[in-house]
Amino acid sequence: MRGDLAAILKDAPTAVRRAMIEDEPNLAPGAAHVMGRFWSAARECKSYSSMPGAEAYRAAAASESTFRCLLRALATYAPHVSTAHARLVSEEWYDRRRIPGAKAVRQKARRDGAIWPLSWRRMKSSLDAAAIESSTRKRYTASIDRCATVVAEGLASERLGFIAACELSEAFLFHPDEARRVKPVTAGNYIEGLIALGARGGVSEESLTAMRVISSDLRDQSSLEEKNKYERLSALMERGGYGHVADRIGALRARAHALPAHSAARRRCMQQAVVCAVIVNKPPRKSDLVSWRFGDQIARDVDGTWRAEWEQEKTGGGTETGAIWPEICEILDEWILDGRPDRLVHIRYQELVGRNWLTLDDNEPYRNLPTELTKAAIGVPSHDLRTLAADYMRRHDPAHAANVIAAHLGHGTRQAGEAYRAECDGVAAQAIWQEARMTIAGRLTDQPASARQKIEREKRFMDSPAGEL
């Protein structure tokens, strides 16, 4: 016997109580009692009936199985109720379930070079004193940290030279943990940081030259991989380019709206949608994207306009989006609300100030998260959308696109955008040449026969290899 449902559910909203009473034969074991305790706790805590607080969930369920039963009952009999605060309680139950030794612990701030081998630490002062840009020194230090981690795992030698570079390359490309494998160009950059340390620290030139051979080989491998990128972009353009990206964002939002506010699937869908949307507006590098915090790099004005402004890790230069497109501001609002009613957006933003924009908490996600999200959403890594943006601008106005692309993508030097600049120059030249051909063709119709023959000879000459020179 379940008892008198009307009495058990006395504090539940009328519509919820009526729905459960009418469906009494099909109620899951324990569903009525946990729902009764939940709504009584919500009333006692003076929570909004449309979005009860976390305290109500904690008071209603003394075990995780009971808590999950409550969530299923809410999804069935009170789908209009936002369960956003249930996420906090759900995470608490997950934490209790984890093995103590495997529990994730936030990495403590540590002194630069603390994990380096002793021989590397002795050379650090020379690198610190080198006459290089602070952003370059920061990049070198981060690269050496990556190499030091591999050495600490016993996968590479600390003695700088050919063998160490080979072992580091092998570890970076084929690490036992697949999540920690990197592309050849990234591995080459890490080793370049170590070469810079050795060059300032007195390592023999022969050893450094041997390491540069490995670094150069990694960059050659990277050049070969560029073909794969253009094949991916070609396939994306065939699917509609940015139009396809927009359609996928819309589909992800629709799917998220159909899921309960507390579900991990809903947050993942919105996470994919918001990352794709922000990259469409202006494509930051993934290393910058994962570090943004509300109220600092990305902020919301009182009128609902979002803006982003940040210092680029790779170049050290600043860049910004200006006012983000209204359609994308709407998606950002949905993301931070995380299933809450729209009227709470201002309060919710203030709660999140200082927190990471991708995790909605104090923790910063791993660097490759944007790539994983865009691959899952549209089939290409996040960096490909930078190239796609450049391709759109090149086609729109090739004569001026090179400088626009450099500003839009945040290139720190002219050399950084040489490949894009060469493509823009080529497209501009083709446009000029096509215009000249059209002019000649137009003159043919307005000239007498003898003049047309002369123009035709001129046109054939221009179309010949000699004319192109």
Side-chain angles (χ1 to χ4, degrees):
M1 291 293 292
R2 294 188 176 90
D4 184 359
L5 290 185
I8 293 171
L9 299 170
K10 64 182 186 303
D11 293 320
T14 303
V16 176
R17 182 168 59 250
R18 182 186 303 116
M20 295 189 72
I21 291 174
E22 291 175 355
D23 198 38
E24 181 177 1
N26 300 316
L27 290 180
H33 288 85
V34 72
M35 282 284 273
R37 292 194 299 272
F38 173 74
W39 288 111
S40 295
R43 179 183 291 271
E44 185 177 345
C45 297
K46 298 181 180 180
S47 295
Y48 291 110
S49 60
S50 60
M51 189 177 66
E55 299 82 2
Y57 295 94
R58 296 189 186 101
S63 67
E64 184 177 1
S65 59
T66 305
F67 172 69
R68 302 297 170 190
C69 177
L70 170 62
L71 294 182
R72 290 192 294 270
L74 286 169
T76 302
Y77 302 106
H80 61 284
V81 174
S82 172
T83 54
H85 286 146
R87 181 183 300 280
L88 301 174
V89 184
S90 180
E91 290 172 354
E92 292 170 4
W93 284 112
Y94 277 126
D95 286 340
R96 295 177 194 176
R97 195 194 303 173
R98 293 173 185 158
I99 300 172
K103 187 175 180 179
V105 179
R106 192 184 310 162
Q107 186 177 17
K108 296 180 180 179
R110 57 191 176 193
R111 176 174 50 88
D112 286 343
I115 62 172
W116 296 5
L118 180 59
S119 59
W120 297 7
R121 291 203 299 269
R122 289 172 177 165
M123 293 185 281
K124 186 175 183 300
S125 58
S126 299
L127 180 63
D128 291 340
I132 56 178
E133 295 288 338
S134 59
S135 59
T136 303
R137 184 180 293 103
K138 181 179 178 182
R139 179 161 49 86
Y140 285 160
T141 300
S143 296
I144 299 167
D145 281 345
R146 298 277 182 155
C147 295
T149 301
V150 171
V151 172
E153 293 174 327
L155 299 177
S157 169
E158 70 176 80
R159 184 176 180 181
L160 301 192
F162 182 78
I163 293 177
C166 286
E167 292 174 338
L168 287 167
S169 171
E170 184 79 9
F172 287 133
L173 298 181
F174 308 104
H175 196 280
D177 181 358
E178 293 186 9
R180 293 178 56 189
R181 295 175 185 175
V182 299
K183 294 182 179 179
V185 65
T186 305
N189 289 338
Y190 292 162
I191 294 174
E192 282 291 340
L194 200 54
I195 293 172
L197 175 68
R200 272 80 176 181
V203 175
S204 67
E205 187 60 31
E206 292 81 1
S207 297
L208 296 178
T209 300
M211 294 182 72
R212 291 188 182 103
V213 170
I214 301 301
S215 176
S216 177
D217 178 66
L218 289 168
R219 295 187 186 284
D220 289 342
Q221 292 182 44
S222 176
S223 297
L224 292 175
E225 288 188 348
E226 282 292 300
K227 295 180 180 179
N228 294 332
K229 180 177 76 171
Y230 286 106
E231 288 176 2
R232 293 194 303 267
L233 286 174
S234 176
L236 180 59
M237 289 297 290
E238 289 177 2
R239 295 195 297 270
Y242 275 131
H244 172 70
V245 177
D247 289 341
R248 287 295 301 140
I249 292 172
L252 288 165
R253 291 175 70 189
R255 183 184 174 199
H257 294 164
L259 293 168
H262 65 271
S263 69
R266 184 190 191 283
R267 175 172 283 194
R268 194 67 170 180
C269 286
M270 282 305 304
Q271 202 175 39
Q272 291 174 16
V274 76
V275 165
C276 290
V278 167
I279 292 176
V280 165
N281 186 90
K282 176 166 180 168
R285 295 179 178 87
K286 64 181 180 182
S287 58
D288 296 326
L289 204 57
V290 297
S291 66
W292 288 2
R293 292 192 176 270
F294 291 112
D296 191 356
Q297 289 83 12
I298 184 167
R300 185 183 190 276
D301 295 341
V302 176
D303 64 357
T305 301
W306 286 84
R307 305 173 188 274
E309 183 176 358
W310 68 99
E311 180 181 319
Q312 300 173 95
E313 180 185 84
K314 184 173 182 178
T315 67
T319 188
E320 50 88 27
T321 62
I324 293 177
W325 303 342
E327 300 83 356
I328 296 173
C329 291
E330 182 180 333
I331 298 173
L332 281 162
D333 282 351
E334 285 184 13
W335 167 238
I336 66 169
L337 282 167
D338 202 19
R340 293 165 176 79
D342 294 347
R343 67 178 183 276
L344 300 178
V345 65
H346 298 289
I347 297 173
R348 178 60 175 163
Y349 174 73
Q350 292 302 320
E351 291 175 352
L352 292 173
V353 168
R355 296 182 180 179
N356 184 277
W357 86 289
L358 278 178
T359 61
L360 304 182
D361 59 30
D362 294 331
N363 297 320
E364 183 174 309
Y366 51 97
R367 294 166 67 94
N368 211 42
L369 178 60
T371 285
E372 291 183 6
L373 294 173
T374 55
K375 270 189 172 181
I378 57 176
V380 300
S382 57
H383 194 275
D384 283 9
L385 293 180
R386 290 172 60 82
T387 307
L388 183 65
D391 194 56
Y392 268 81
M393 288 183 279
R394 176 172 59 84
R395 293 172 185 273
H396 176 69
D397 186 2
H400 304 95
N403 292 330
V404 176
I405 290 170
H408 191 64
L409 300 187
H411 291 154
T413 63
R414 183 181 178 89
Q415 289 76 12
E418 278 303 318
Y420 295 118
R421 191 172 297 276
E423 289 181 353
C424 292
D425 290 345
V427 173
Q430 291 172 15
I432 294 171
W433 179 243
Q434 189 64 30
E435 185 178 351
R437 286 177 55 85
M438 293 298 292
T439 301
I440 294 171
R443 288 170 58 192
L444 283 173
T445 60
D446 300 329
Q447 300 291 336
S450 59
R452 283 202 302 271
Q453 291 174 358
K454 180 179 179 181
I455 293 174
E456 286 174 352
R457 288 196 300 271
E458 179 182 346
K459 181 175 181 292
R460 285 196 298 272
F461 173 74
M462 293 182 70
D463 285 339
S464 69
E468 292 179 357
L469 294 175

